[in-house]
Amino acid sequence: MQLESMYQEIILDHYKNPHGRGLREPFEAEVHHVNPTCGDEVTLRLHIENNAAGDAVVSDLSYEGMGCSISQASISAMYDLVLGKSVTEALATGEDFMTLMQAKGDPTVAEKLEDSLEDAVAFAGVSKYPARIKCALMSWMALKDASARALATTTPGGTS
């Protein structure tokens, strides 16, 4: 019970003090996602730059959104996790978050993903409530969408 209480505090802290909030420029992709089940929504902008090795790196992620504490806290936690990572690493972290959401509250899964997900492991309890999983995943799906669009515009053969 004590761990669950700590997780709730982390989620509430991200909701009350969102990290990365506010749309910024420059950006290569902007996406808008809505959870039709509850009306949560997010507009996400992704700015990527190539590092010295030529890897696409998330140099900024900005957003505006409205909705429940789960959806808004999830994007704040995501911001902390993906900023400065390569797009490949950021998407892998998103896959880890998806695994957490499919775990149905299994504490062993959360334990295995603690290093990868940091504060986002606090959403483990959300996975027990199917209606809330979409709230937690909305921002991660927006990141996946924005990443594909940004890479399409910045790689050879892309649209720009």
Side-chain angles (χ1 to χ4, degrees), residues 21-146:
R21 188 175 191 89
L23 295 174
R24 292 181 293 280
E25 294 186 12
F27 60 94
E28 284 68 45
E30 178 179 286
V31 297
H32 183 78
H33 281 225
V34 176
N35 180 349
T37 307
C38 62
D40 291 350
E41 56 184 87
V42 65
T43 299
L44 181 140
R45 288 181 177 173
L46 181 64
H47 178 50
I48 59 174
E49 294 178 352
N50 288 332
N51 64 14
D55 298 323
V57 173
V58 177
S59 58
D60 193 24
L61 176 106
S62 62
Y63 65 94
E64 282 296 335
M66 57 184 244
C68 70
S69 60
I70 300 295
S71 70
Q72 300 306 296
S74 180
I75 194 165
S76 175
M78 180 183 77
Y79 171 85
D80 289 346
L81 284 170
V82 304
L83 194 65
K85 285 189 175 179
S86 73
V87 171
T88 302
E89 291 170 321
L91 294 175
T93 302
E95 289 301 316
D96 286 348
F97 192 80
M98 176 69 83
T99 299
L100 183 72
M101 289 298 100
Q102 294 170 340
K104 297 182 177 158
D106 182 344
T108 60
V109 173
E111 190 176 299
K112 288 178 188 173
L113 296 173
E114 266 182 349
D115 289 341
S116 169
L117 295 178
E118 299 173 15
D119 274 2
V121 79
F123 292 85
V126 172
S127 71
K128 293 186 247 179
Y129 306 98
R132 306 301 282 168
I133 292 172
K134 285 184 180 181
C135 300
L137 285 175
M138 181 180 63
S139 58
W140 292 92
M141 296 299 104
L143 174 65
K144 192 173 184 178
D145 186 11

